[in-house]
Amino acid sequence: DAGITQSPRYKITETGRQVTLMCHQTWSHSYMFWYRQDLGHGLRLIYYSAAADITDKGEVPDGYVVSRSKTENFPLTLESATRSQTSVYFCASSELAGGQETQYFGPGTRLLVL
Amino acid sequence: KQEVTQIPAALSVPEGENLVLNCSFTDSAIYNLQWFRQDPGKGLTSLLLIQSSQREQTSGRLNASLDKSSGRSTLYIAASQPGDSATYLCAAENLSGTYKYIFGTGTRLKVLA
């Protein structure tokens, strides 16, 4: 199906474990983004990518790693999960940036770190 | 640093009422201002995008306005319906040289039948 998908949709892990959240889009959009959503903070940008092999930090990048070897995939890795990383994670994509096109969001991954 | 604020945090209205949701931002140097809808447990759906050179955008019963000089945007919903119940978020895309959206914390709307 066309669109943007995230996997897993739900994940429970333990402190210190490595976790990878997957994001896949079928539009060949250039830009991809990772956000986390927490009560009281709204959505905050973790990392974004303007194209394959080009990534940059957002507002809250610490503890996260991203890669973009293919245009359609943008995985987010928590290298050593902490309880403060319990959150809902959203992936998004857009063809253009700089005011010209909206972002399309995936359904989210709910992550609980025990 | 850009800050985006949405007031009120929650709003309940009877069906059929016209309503206005407010969004304010501190830095007027933006590419655009977007309004999104988020249903419980779901992702965000874009409703309207207003580019910095525009004053308003309309889609069906929705009208969004942008006043950069005052740092404000409003989302007007006409003849509200129970299906409009959701959280509405606004987001400003900054002119900072990197393409970063700053989101407000949202207004949770409940339209009562």
Side-chain angles (χ1 to χ4, degrees):
Chain A
D1 291 345
I4 184 165
T5 57
Q6 295 183 234
S7 62
R9 294 293 314 279
Y10 304 91
K11 177 73 176 179
I12 300 174
T13 191
E14 294 177 339
T15 302
R17 290 190 180 265
Q18 184 179 80
V19 177
T20 296
L21 309 184
M22 304 301 293
C23 178
H24 175 79
Q25 51 106 353
T26 60
W27 294 301
S28 298
H29 282 169
S30 298
Y31 288 85
M32 296 188 75
F33 308 83
W34 273 108
Y35 294 91
R36 59 178 291 173
Q37 185 175 35
D38 305 288
L39 270 174
H41 287 281
L43 274 82
R44 291 179 292 175
L45 183 65
I46 304 171
Y47 269 95
Y48 68 101
S49 169
D53 297 322
I54 301 175
T55 62
D56 206 349
K57 295 178 181 179
E59 185 181 356
V60 288
D62 293 343
Y64 302 96
V65 174
V66 294
S67 63
R68 190 140 178 236
S69 58
K70 292 184 178 181
T71 299
E72 61 267 30
N73 297 324
F74 191 37
L76 176 73
T77 297
L78 287 66
E79 294 186 295
S80 178
T82 64
R83 289 194 181 89
S84 66
Q85 293 177 309
T86 292
S87 186
V88 182
Y89 291 85
F90 288 101
C91 179
S93 72
S94 70
E95 175 52 30
L96 298 172
Q100 299 182 56
E101 191 162 312
T102 191
Q103 294 186 354
Y104 297 88
F105 281 77
T109 294
R110 292 182 178 274
L111 176 67
L112 175 62
V113 183
L114 300 175
Chain B
K1 179 186 173 185
Q2 178 75 275
E3 292 183 7
V4 179
T5 304
Q6 292 184 250
I7 295 174
L11 181 64
S12 289
V13 300
E15 181 177 6
E17 191 162 298
N18 301 325
L19 61 100
V20 174
L21 305 181
N22 296 298
C23 173
S24 60
F25 49 95
T26 55
D27 186 350
S28 62
I30 60 173
Y31 276 119
N32 64 48
L33 192 291
Q34 291 193 57
W35 284 92
F36 293 86
R37 169 182 172 141
Q38 185 176 27
D39 292 288
K42 301 289 179 63
L44 279 69
T45 301
S46 178
L47 297 173
L48 290 164
L49 182 154
I50 313 173
Q51 295 188 26
S52 62
S53 59
Q54 299 173 323
R55 298 282 292 185
E56 64 178 326
Q57 283 286 333
T58 298
S59 176
R61 294 182 294 108
L62 305 179
N63 175 276
S65 67
L66 175 64
D67 184 346
K68 285 175 55 181
S69 62
S70 66
R72 291 186 59 192
S73 176
T74 60
L75 178 67
Y76 175 82
I77 302 177
S80 59
Q81 304 170 358
D84 295 330
S85 298
T87 297
Y88 292 81
L89 298 102
C90 66
E93 185 181 10
N94 292 331
L95 273 170
S96 62
T98 52
Y99 303 114
K100 296 182 181 178
Y101 283 90
I102 304 296
F103 281 80
T105 52
T107 294
R108 190 170 63 254
L109 173 66
K110 188 169 185 177
V111 181
L112 306 170

